[in-house]
Amino acid sequence: MGIRLVLGDITEQRVDAVVNAANSSLLGGGGVDGAIHRRGGPEILAECRALRAGRYGNGLPTGRAVATTAGRLPARWVIHTVGPVHSAGHDRSALLASCYAESLRVADELGARSVAFPAISTGIYGWPMDDGARIALTTVRNTPTDVRDVRFVLFDTRAYAVFAEVLDGLP
Ligand code: ADP
């Protein structure tokens, strides 16, 4: 599997699946979530509402992932995953790792070969970028998957630089 870093907007990626840093309501929010729903249009929200009316009546639990259509985005699917809110007192790293592993598992179920990830939890949810990058890159590197092309889409040069440094240091 190849891992690539891209500076840009995840909604513009031509990949099979883009991953959304969703919240457990699945009904939209700020950051990546807001951008995906704005650019992808109402079809995505309609499928999210159907998931809330069915399988995920209480919302999508933290660390889990579920797919919907990508609406008008260039991607075919959106994989929604709920990152943990960063906490100084509780180590929630396993939940953040689970977001990446579960998203790849869902991608495999879909037959997706290319997947774009944002830096989950590093925005509104407050995760420090360097630790978020380390968890993201080590988990993706170590998760068995049929996905061939994993792209981390970083929204600003600082996030890109942090990911590049962590990727360089991986064994
Ligand atoms: P979370 O609630 O999981 O922290 P956010 O969407 O607030 O999710 O932020 C996750 C990361 O995605 C942050 O580093 C933020 O700067 C970045 N980000 C925000 N919008 C976009 C976008 N359109 N494309 C890629 N990354 C984005």
Side-chain angles (χ1 to χ4, degrees):
M1 177 224 285
I3 296 180
R4 278 200 293 156
L5 308 183
V6 177
L7 181 63
D9 183 335
I10 196 156
T11 63
E12 293 171 1
Q13 303 303 309
R14 295 192 175 276
V15 283
D16 294 334
V18 297
V19 175
N20 181 17
N23 60 54
S24 81
S25 80
L26 291 175
L27 301 180
V32 172
D33 201 8
I36 284 177
H37 283 289
R38 253 190 326 273
R39 295 283 296 270
E43 260 187 87
I44 302 174
L45 193 58
E47 275 196 33
C48 286
R49 286 192 206 283
L51 286 167
R52 281 302 305 275
R55 200 155 34 124
Y56 294 111
N58 295 321
L60 182 65
T62 304
R64 301 271 294 278
V66 67
T68 66
T69 174
R72 296 195 289 257
L73 297 180
R76 289 179 67 187
W77 299 286
V78 174
I79 298 173
H80 306 263
T81 189
V82 182
V85 175
H86 185 260
S87 156
H90 299 275
D91 182 5
R92 297 184 175 146
S93 308
L95 284 169
L96 184 54
S98 171
C99 289
Y100 290 99
E102 281 291 293
S103 295
L104 289 174
R105 190 183 59 72
V106 169
D108 281 341
E109 276 174 15
L110 294 166
R113 292 291 176 266
S114 54
V115 175
F117 281 102
I120 300 165
S121 287
T122 65
I124 296 158
Y125 284 0
W127 210 285
M129 190 60 75
D130 53 351
D131 197 51
R134 184 185 56 76
I135 292 167
L137 289 162
T138 53
T139 305
V140 166
R141 177 62 66 81
N142 295 324
T143 300
T145 174
D146 293 329
V147 174
R148 305 273 41 107
D149 165 18
V150 171
R151 201 177 291 184
F152 285 95
V153 184
L154 293 323
F155 206 44
D156 55 52
T157 50
R158 194 187 72 86
Y160 184 93
V162 171
F163 267 73
E165 194 181 337
V166 174
L167 184 58
D168 261 1
L170 286 191

